[in-house]
Amino acid sequence: MTHQASKLEALVNQNRNLVAKKTRFIAITSGKGGVGKSTISSNMAYVMAKYGLKVGIFDADIGLANLDVMFNVKIKKNILHVLKGEATVEEILVPIEPNLVLIPGESGEEIFKYASGGLFERFMEQANVLDDLDVMIIDTGAGIGEHIQLFLRACDDVIVVTVPDPAAITDAYATIKVTARLRDEINVIMNQVRSSKEAEGLFEKIHKVAAANIGGSLKLSYLGQISSDPKISTSVKKRALFSRDFPTATPTNELELIVKRIAKKLERNVLVDPKESGLGGLFKRLMEHF
């Protein structure tokens, strides 16, 4: 295990000793498709779980639902079947690793068709099977649609993923601008970059435009980079996780650094409220903003 990985594991173990804790909800989004958002979501969830955090990953990108492909598992039913009363929460969960579970999702629009009445209340009661999650990652759809914004508003952290492509940068800025109406703090990951200089330079451009046009209340944070590496595409084609297949590769080391920065935030995530836990906590927040 690398020194960096050992430090990350120690930080996670320190968090697990805190009795007073709630689930931290992290939305990973992008301005456009094809920037590696789901690849980052799935690998981030794996790295977090590997170091002892209990992680759920919720696939809210139903139009291009591909987390089942990323994890190489078959999905039979999703959250919509639970809301319709056709399955229990426990029945739809897909275990990936000892500390990692996939929650097959549905679009916000479909979810909220069933978000009233007795079925939803029954769902909330069943959702307590996930109350012990430390982190829930929500892999949202790309763009700035109304129901994507609901997830962005409900989460503790929003991470925007983009790549060094002019169209992707423009769309990422548009996502940041809309999301800034909902929250003051937004994080950015630069994906598929050739160097840290390129990544940091592009982030500074986004930051400068945001500061000039959005205003001073926005805290736009650079969470880190994932370098362009053929190992990633090799893993994706194999329906495998690059962080599991190539644990010492540069992108894996970079992702571990990003996870370490997120884990530090978990140290402050210590307020007890059972209504803020797991899947039920996420849907409670969504309903508050619906």
Side-chain angles (χ1 to χ4, degrees), residues 109-150:
E109 188 173 2
E110 286 297 312
I111 284 170
F112 288 107
K113 286 180 183 176
Y114 297 91
S116 60
L119 283 175
F120 189 70
E121 288 169 13
R122 194 178 78 177
F123 159 75
M124 291 295 281
E125 289 172 6
Q126 294 175 4
N128 63 9
V129 299
L130 291 171
D131 280 357
D132 65 342
L133 292 179
D134 294 298
V135 178
M136 186 183 294
I137 293 174
I138 294 95
D139 184 31
T140 78
I144 50 178
E146 179 184 347
H147 292 94
I148 293 171
Q149 290 179 51
L150 275 171

Side-chain angles (χ1 to χ4, degrees), residues 256-273:
E256 287 183 341
L257 270 175
I258 290 168
V259 168
K260 184 180 175 184
R261 288 171 187 139
I262 295 169
K264 283 184 177 177
K265 292 186 178 184
L266 293 174
E267 292 178 307
R268 302 189 295 274
N269 203 33
V270 295
L271 298 176
V272 174
D273 184 350

Side-chain angles (χ1 to χ4, degrees), residues 43 46 70-71 96-97 240-247 252:
N43 281 275
Y46 170 77
M70 297 286 174
F71 290 118
I96 306 297
E97 296 284 331
L241 301 173
F242 72 80
S243 54
R244 181 163 54 193
D245 281 3
F246 304 103
T252 303

